[in-house]
Amino acid sequence: MDIVLILLSYVVKYYTYALIIYILMSWVPSIQQSSFGQLLGKICEPYLEPFRKIIPPIGMIDISPIVAIFVLNIALNGIVSLVYLF
């Protein structure tokens, strides 16, 4: 079971990195339109979209990705806690 948790933590860590890269790429639209940017968009947008619907931008700053990353890490910690509880 520890192998599954380790694998899950790596997946969440790398997905968090992908989200951060995708967010930073939004500052440079030409990079976001590249094939790598489109690939990251296909990976990251389905997860970010519900948060963007719920949390409106504050001025020109979109804080929904920060909340999305926070929720992702809380979910991972919750799963790990549940597994070690039982």
Side-chain angles (χ1 to χ4, degrees), residues 6-58:
I6 291 169
L7 182 64
L8 183 63
S9 69
Y10 278 124
V11 168
V12 169
K13 180 171 76 170
Y14 291 127
Y15 192 70
T16 302
Y17 291 152
L19 288 170
I20 292 170
I21 291 169
Y22 183 69
I23 294 163
L24 293 176
M25 282 177 31
S26 69
W27 295 347
V28 183
S30 62
I31 296 174
Q32 198 171 22
Q33 311 251 332
S34 69
S35 59
F36 178 69
Q38 291 176 356
L39 174 67
L40 272 181
K42 288 179 184 177
I43 294 171
C44 297
E45 275 302 319
Y47 179 68
L48 290 174
E49 188 175 339
F51 293 99
R52 288 189 175 137
K53 287 181 180 177
I54 295 171
I55 304 167
I58 300 173

